Amino acid sequence: MSSSSPPDWARLHHAYGRAKDVPGQLAALAGADPVARGAAVSALSSNVHHQGTRWPASAHVVAPLVMLADSPTTPDRPTVVHLLHAVALGDLSDDVLPFDPVRVFAAAERVSPSDEAAVLRVLFEDDDPDPDAVADVADAVALRWAAEAYRAAERHAPSFVAWLQDPEPAVAARAAALLAWFPEVPALATALAGVGSGTGVVRASANLALAFLPGPPGSGELAALTASLASPDEAVRVSAAVALARRRPTALPDEALTALVHADDDEITGVVPGWDRSLRGHVALALQRLGL
């Protein structure tokens, strides 16, 4: 974690004005009271990624959330990681993977400090606001805030990689799903391939993350995915077949094709933690990619 001083929350904005309430909400996430934690999750969800939109305060929430998820004493860490995912990515769903942040956030680079100040003034300060006055820059400013939240999360990718080995399966599975959005993380493929097969949901999530990395799989990835095809866990088998169909479509093992076809026939159900698309949806996409 960074040793930098905490932000001046009173100078930052979220969806409802100044972010003075955010420190208390973050503190509540570490508390023993489940009702207070639930209220804090709801409040933060509304404040810093309201309907998918990020705000100037959003990027500054990332580091405290990572710190909470890093601590084994934090209650309900899977929910913290889920909240982090939402803050970092807004309402992006995994049907847009693979993700290219340079392309997606290109327009944000053209936003000036005066553009941002103008949007904030219209939203929060003017007595008689005129939204039309900032209509030509509002979307780009919102994209700038989204890019800042994404980049803030990217700086903490080493923690996400460490969570792949977390003893709590829901944390590890969500970490794998989160890492699918950060393809430039060093040695990401090796980390995902190295996830143990002892907990099916974690291996399944890692397989799905491997599906969206670029290029054909390396030897370590191929070994992990091939081994997954023999798993007694259906989600592990199917997710491996999905990954191989995406990354190695012209040399797909018979076992992978069989797993996909059977999953399609049986209408496999369920969602792997951290992923929006159901397993059946991933199977349908893989079969489409194969021309079937």
Side-chain angles (χ1 to χ4, degrees):
M1 291 298 300
S2 171
S3 60
S4 61
S5 58
D8 184 352
W9 294 105
R11 293 177 62 86
L12 296 169
H13 287 84
H14 57 43
Y16 297 100
R18 300 288 179 174
K20 294 181 290 185
D21 52 347
V22 166
Q25 292 157 4
L26 289 168
L29 294 179
D33 183 353
V35 175
R37 291 199 307 271
V41 169
S42 179
L44 282 168
S45 296
S46 295
N47 287 341
V48 296
H49 70 97
H50 180 67
Q51 296 180 351
T53 300
R54 267 62 54 80
W55 302 83
S58 301
H60 296 277
V61 171
V62 168
L65 290 176
V66 172
M67 181 178 290
L68 286 165
D70 274 339
S71 173
T73 64
T74 298
D76 197 6
R77 292 168 59 240
T79 293
V80 174
V81 179
H82 176 68
L83 182 59
L84 171 65
H85 187 127
V87 173
L89 297 166
D91 60 358
L92 289 173
S93 61
D94 51 48
D95 59 357
V96 302
L97 288 170
F99 188 62
D100 180 355
V102 173
R103 177 185 60 80
V104 171
F105 297 130
E109 301 300 322
R110 300 192 291 270
V111 173
S112 69
S114 61
D115 292 332
E116 183 176 2
V119 170
L120 290 173
R121 185 177 62 252
V122 167
L123 289 175
F124 299 109
E125 298 175 11
D126 288 353
D127 293 332
D128 186 19
D130 179 14
D132 290 340
V134 293
D136 57 335
V137 297
D139 287 346
V141 168
L143 188 66
R144 170 69 174 270
W145 296 332
E148 289 172 350
Y150 176 87
R151 295 302 182 189
E154 187 175 46
R155 290 192 289 274
H156 291 277
S159 283
F160 310 161
V161 172
W163 298 343
L164 291 174
Q165 305 299 331
D166 196 273
E168 192 162 357
V171 170
R174 289 188 178 280
L178 182 58
L179 282 163
W181 295 90
F182 299 93
E184 297 180 6
V185 171
L188 177 57
T190 299
L192 291 168
V195 168
S197 58
T199 304
V201 72
V202 183
R203 183 64 258 167
S205 187
N207 289 344
L208 292 178
L210 286 171
F212 295 102
L213 296 189
S219 58
E221 298 168 84
L222 186 58
L225 293 171
T226 301
S228 291
L229 292 175
S231 171
D233 188 306
E234 184 178 36
V236 173
R237 294 196 306 274
V238 170
S239 58
V242 166
L244 288 166
R246 286 195 62 90
R247 304 278 304 282
R248 208 166 179 252
T250 58
L252 190 68
D254 290 342
E255 298 90 340
L257 182 58
T258 298
L260 291 173
V261 171
H262 284 179
D264 188 49
D265 287 343
D266 296 342
E267 297 190 1
I268 184 173
T269 59
V271 176
V272 177
W275 295 88
D276 304 301
R277 186 187 296 271
S278 67
L279 271 175
R280 174 143 175 88
H282 284 289
V283 168
L285 192 65
L287 291 171
Q288 182 183 46
R289 190 174 183 85
L290 295 170
L292 299 175

